[in-house]
């Protein structure tokens, strides 16, 4: 398969659905502008791709999971807006553009983040045919985004600032702040398309390993990435004294660890045939990417 074309096609689908869903005149103009600013700024749209690739692995179709895919991208974009705030990472550049608070001010940026998170659930629960599956996915998304997942992980990230923590603690931090949304993306796509228990167990393991590899590569790129390609400030972690993989085990060891996680993730897909090829290819891309 051609991964580049695959990613472009999924990105197109998700963006067209996402931008359609936003044109609602009952949203105050300034808020809509701020939400759209960050959604339209760009981004790889990898979490929505994971939703669709998870669906595909179990024989599902993109259209069955498109609202869930868009919802996940909204949750992710909310997390980025808040992550960049002065009270958090205090970054000026995101997706190649000034961060949301630089344009709209902190108050609107906070509220645009809130609104995107809630809009995600508004969209997710609209018109899905199987209520019991939907309820499960709503719970999965809530757990992944909230105190047990990304939000909790961001607090662990803050608390670990300026400290030497163990690799085990760092794994926990990364699994929450980044792994949870990625794992929920893969699993929910498959769940909404009727995946069986064994399939979900395999995809959960894949998602956990890839989620961790993804954040390790993010930490690596914060050191040796190209700011223009990445579209965000590099050196941010060192400047903020963050506990990252390179800070704890070194840059080269971090790359080795990420590559091992990718191999392990792919090996968890052995029960699937070619329907999981996109997940296999995306796994490799996670550590080869430079943006
Ligand atoms: C960045 O995520 C934040 C992390 C959780 C590491 P991405 O690298 O997926 O950011 P976009 O969506 O492509 O901008
Ligand atoms: C962010 O981790 C994880 C989120 C929950 C947004 P980082 O702080 O390393 O993400 P970037 O590097 O700013 O995208
Ligand atoms: Mg951060
Ligand atoms: Mg950050
Ligand atoms: Mg980072």
């Amino acid at each position: 398969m051609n991964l580049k074309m695959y990613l472009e096609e999924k990105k197109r689908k998700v963006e067209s659905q996402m931008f359609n869903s936003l044109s609602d005149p009952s949203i105050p103009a300034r808020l809509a502008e701020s939400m759209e600013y960050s959604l339209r700024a760009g981004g790889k749209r990898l979490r929505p791709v994971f939703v669709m690739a998870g669906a595909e692995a179990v024989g599902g179709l993109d259209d069955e999971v498109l609202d869930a895919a868009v919802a996940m991208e909204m949750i992710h974009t909310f997390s980025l807006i808040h992550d960049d705030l002065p009270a958090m990472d205090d970054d000026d550049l995101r997706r190649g553009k000034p961060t949301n608070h630089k344009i709209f001010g902190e108050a609107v940026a906070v509220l645009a983040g809130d609104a995107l998170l809630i809009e995600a659930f508004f969209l997710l629960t609209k018109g899905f045919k199987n209520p019991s599956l939907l309820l499960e996915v709503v719970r999965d998304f809530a757990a992944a985004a909230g105190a047990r997942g990304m939000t909790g992980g961001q607090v662990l990230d803050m608390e670990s600032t300026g400290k030497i923590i163990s690799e085990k603690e760092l794994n926990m931090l990364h699994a929450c702040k980044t792994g949870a949304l990625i794992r929920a993306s893969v699993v929910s796509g498959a769940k909404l398309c009727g995946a069986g228990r064994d399939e979900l167990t395999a995809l959960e393991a894949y998602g956990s390993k890839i989620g961790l590899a993804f954040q390790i590569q993010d930490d690596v790129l914060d050191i040796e990435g190209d700011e223009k390609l990445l579209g965000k400030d590099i050196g941010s972690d060192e400047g903020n004294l963050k506990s990252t993989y390179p800070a704890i085990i070194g840059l080269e060891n971090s790359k080795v660890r990420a590559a091992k996680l990718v191999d392990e993730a792919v090996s968890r897909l052995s029960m699937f045939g070619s329907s999981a090829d996109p997940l296999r290819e995306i796994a490799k891309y996670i550590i080869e990417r430079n943006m």
Side-chain angles (χ1 to χ4, degrees):
M1 66 173 284
N2 181 327
L3 183 69
K4 192 164 178 274
M5 276 172 62
Y6 180 90
L7 293 176
E8 270 164 19
E9 187 211 328
K10 305 291 171 197
K11 189 174 161 154
R12 232 182 352 261
K13 274 192 189 176
V14 82
E15 287 183 346
S16 105
Q17 179 85 349
M18 184 159 72
F19 300 145
N20 275 339
S21 74
L22 271 181
S23 49
D24 182 341
S26 61
I27 304 176
R30 186 75 178 152
L31 182 60
E33 209 191 324
S34 173
M35 292 161 77
E36 276 203 63
Y37 173 79
S38 290
L39 288 175
R40 286 189 187 272
K44 298 177 287 296
R45 317 298 189 195
L46 270 182
R47 291 153 193 80
V49 172
F50 274 126
V51 174
M52 291 184 264
E56 189 173 339
V58 301
L61 301 172
D62 291 347
D63 286 351
E64 296 178 75
V65 297
L66 208 47
D67 285 332
V70 171
M72 186 48 87
E73 183 64 14
M74 288 182 172
I75 295 174
H76 167 61
T77 303
F78 131 70
S79 81
L80 299 179
I81 295 174
H82 283 195
D83 180 72
D84 291 331
L85 286 169
M88 296 188 67
D89 292 353
D90 191 16
D91 281 318
D92 297 343
L93 189 66
R94 170 69 67 184
R95 293 178 162 171
K97 298 222 163 85
T99 42
N100 195 292
H101 64 271
K102 286 274 162 194
I103 302 290
F104 296 93
E106 285 178 50
V108 171
V110 168
L111 293 167
D114 294 343
L116 281 170
L117 170 61
I118 295 161
E119 191 68 14
F121 286 93
F122 185 72
L123 190 64
L124 184 62
T125 48
K126 160 193 131 222
F128 194 77
K129 292 174 207 77
N130 184 330
S132 71
L133 273 183
L134 177 62
L135 191 59
E136 252 193 75
V137 169
V138 167
R139 285 179 62 91
D140 289 350
F141 273 35
R148 295 160 186 79
M150 187 277 296
T151 305
Q154 290 285 59
V155 173
L156 295 176
D157 179 278
M158 279 162 46
E159 285 180 347
S160 308
T161 297
K163 284 195 196 140
I164 308 280
I165 60 171
S166 69
E167 198 181 330
K168 201 171 156 212
E169 289 169 312
L170 184 60
N171 279 342
M172 181 68 190
L173 188 174
H174 279 9
C176 290
K177 84 166 179 177
T178 302
L181 286 184
I182 291 181
R183 190 178 60 238
S185 300
V186 181
V187 170
S188 64
K191 229 180 222 183
L192 289 170
C193 296
R197 188 185 293 254
D198 291 349
E199 289 173 318
L200 290 176
T201 304
L203 293 173
E204 241 171 66
Y206 165 91
S208 301
K209 292 193 179 287
I210 284 304
L212 181 54
F214 187 87
Q215 184 61 48
I216 297 176
Q217 180 67 10
D218 183 84
D219 292 350
V220 166
L221 289 171
D222 192 82
I223 295 174
E224 56 175 31
D226 176 336
E227 202 159 276
K228 278 224 170 59
L229 285 173
L230 274 179
K232 58 186 186 181
D233 303 302
I234 63 161
S236 170
D237 293 335
E238 201 186 351
N240 285 328
L241 301 175
K242 290 285 180 180
S243 283
T244 63
Y245 250 85
I248 303 290
I249 68 167
L251 188 59
E252 290 314 310
N253 283 338
S254 300
K255 293 180 190 172
V256 172
R257 191 60 50 90
K260 186 164 175 270
L261 282 162
V262 166
D263 285 345
E264 288 170 3
V266 170
S267 75
R268 296 303 182 106
L269 300 175
S270 58
M271 70 182 291
F272 298 98
S274 59
S275 67
D277 282 350
L279 289 177
R280 295 185 181 96
E281 292 299 315
I282 300 165
K284 287 182 242 157
Y285 163 76
I286 293 302
I287 51 166
E288 285 161 7
R289 70 194 170 101
N290 54 13
M291 56 182 281

